[in-house]
Amino acid sequence: MEHIFSSLIPIFALIIFGYLFKKISFPSHDFWPMADKLTYYILMPSLLILTLSQAKFENNSFELILSSTLAIFLTLLTLVIFNKFNQANSSSFTSVVQGGIRFNTYVFLALSGSIFGSEGLVIAAIIISFAIPILNIFCISIFAIYSNNQKINILFILKSIFKNPLIIASIIGVLINILGFQMPLSLENFLKILSAAALPLGLLSIGYALVLKDIKSAKKDMLVSIIAKFIVLPAFIFFISKYLELDALAISVLVLFAIMPTAPSSFILARELKGDLQLITSIITVQTILATIFLTIFLNYFV
């Protein structure tokens, strides 16, 4: 257990450093949004292409994808049913949903690699390559239903999926793998160098994005989102993966996926589609902090 915590501490130390860098304006406030773009459009796609192109897809890949997809759908359905009896206003509910089902890609990949090694990283890459487009469809559909935003249509949903660099990178990586394309050594080394910077810079950017002073949005809505994220989704994913008879490593990575705090990019979607910005900012920050507690519980039972 000690070596596992020694793997976790650097990850959360990077997040804390990112927050401290914001407080002292280092290197500047203009730097971090650009660094986030670099990570999102170049560094993370490099990591996904490299990981998925070299992955040895196991026979349980379909069960991995089914477990995560079904658990996400059931959690979303639970939130919709609960909202029928305990209604939040429409813009708030879109933030509750994003907080309840989305996940932080950077933290998930970093922890999967740190705790479970290269095998865990491959499983994580397989999960997110399908979870990201599915989550885009679910979240944008919720905005379409609850916000009456005229901007949202099938074309908008398709564009949001196929313009996503992480989805594009996942498709490229899987195609390289399936087609048996032998990547030139120079290109492979190039991607290794780029991908090595993805997780550290991504984690620092998460720290920079934390907004502690704004944790004052509707407490009830935030609590519903937290319960969905850290209790409902992990429970669904655990029981579904057990029912599908996945091995212990796959179940552990799936549960880790479920307890990841929601994605910072949730704010971008909320801003674009006129969601509750203050609530989603508070949910992102509180979940990122609470994740340390649930990760400690996870380490006791799944590692």
Side-chain angles (χ1 to χ4, degrees):
M1 184 65 71
E2 184 180 343
H3 80 278
I4 294 169
F5 274 108
S6 67
S7 298
L8 294 182
I9 290 169
I11 290 168
F12 284 96
L14 281 167
I15 295 174
I16 292 167
F17 263 78
Y19 181 74
L20 293 176
F21 287 162
K22 178 171 70 172
K23 302 304 287 184
I24 62 173
S25 301
F26 178 81
S28 73
H29 286 306
D30 293 332
F31 169 82
W32 290 104
M34 295 299 103
D36 205 29
K37 281 188 175 181
L38 175 66
T39 305
Y40 186 65
Y41 286 101
I42 304 296
L43 304 181
M44 280 296 296
S46 299
L47 177 62
L48 288 174
I49 290 171
L50 186 67
T51 303
L52 288 169
S53 66
Q54 298 178 343
K56 293 181 180 177
F57 292 106
E58 303 293 339
N59 293 330
N60 65 2
S61 293
F62 174 76
E63 285 80 3
L64 277 171
I65 296 159
L66 181 61
S67 297
S68 54
T69 303
L70 192 53
I72 291 166
F73 174 74
L74 290 173
T75 303
L76 174 59
L77 186 61
T78 302
L79 285 170
V80 169
I81 293 170
F82 179 79
N83 193 58
K84 288 285 185 185
F85 299 98
N86 196 354
Q87 284 195 337
N89 71 59
S90 296
S91 63
S92 296
F93 184 64
T94 59
S95 293
V96 170
V97 168
Q98 287 209 88
I101 65 174
R102 295 189 69 174
F103 69 102
N104 193 307
T105 308
Y106 303 153
V107 178
F108 179 47
L109 287 173
L111 287 173
S112 297
S114 294
I115 300 171
F116 301 111
S118 58
E119 196 175 350
L121 187 60
V122 168
I123 293 172
I126 293 169
I127 293 168
I128 70 170
S129 63
F130 288 88
I132 291 173
I134 287 161
L135 283 167
N136 269 271
I137 293 169
F138 285 168
C139 289
I140 294 171
S141 298
I142 287 295
F143 272 98
I145 295 166
Y146 286 87
S147 70
N148 295 317
N149 193 319
Q150 301 302 314
K151 184 178 181 180
I152 304 172
N153 52 35
I154 295 296
L155 182 61
F156 181 88
I157 294 174
L158 290 174
K159 283 172 67 177
S160 75
I161 292 171
F162 291 106
K163 284 174 66 178
N164 187 311
L166 304 185
I167 296 173
I168 294 168
S170 297
I171 292 170
I172 293 170
V174 170
L175 284 176
I176 290 172
N177 193 313
I178 292 173
L179 297 173
F181 176 71
Q182 187 62 45
M183 195 182 297
L185 186 59
S186 55
L187 177 58
E188 183 180 328
N189 289 334
F190 172 71
L191 291 175
K192 280 181 181 177
I193 294 168
L194 276 178
S195 60
L199 297 177
L201 196 55
L203 294 169
L204 287 169
S205 293
I206 291 167
Y208 177 84
L210 294 180
V211 188
L212 298 181
K213 66 179 181 180
D214 282 348
I215 305 176
K216 53 189 177 186
S217 296
K219 292 179 182 177
K220 184 191 77 173
D221 293 337
M222 191 186 299
L223 181 62
V224 171
S225 189
I226 287 168
I227 291 171
K229 164 49 63 179
F230 293 119
I231 297 174
V232 178
L233 181 57
F236 276 136
I237 215 163
F238 174 74
F239 288 114
I240 292 169
S241 58
K242 289 287 282 187
Y243 177 78
L244 294 174
E245 299 182 343
L246 285 162
D247 60 59
L249 176 60
I251 292 173
S252 295
V253 178
L254 280 163
V255 173
L256 179 64
F257 162 78
I259 62 170
M260 286 297 94
T262 194
S265 56
S266 300
F267 177 85
I268 298 170
L269 191 62
R271 183 177 59 196
E272 189 173 358
L273 299 180
K274 299 178 181 177
D276 188 330
L277 295 182
Q278 187 176 12
L279 177 58
I280 193 61
T281 300
S282 298
I283 288 172
I284 292 166
T285 300
V286 170
Q287 285 194 7
T288 303
I289 295 168
L290 285 179
T292 56
I293 297 171
F294 288 94
L295 275 167
T296 302
I297 298 169
F298 169 81
L299 293 172
N300 281 323
Y301 290 98
F302 291 93
V303 179

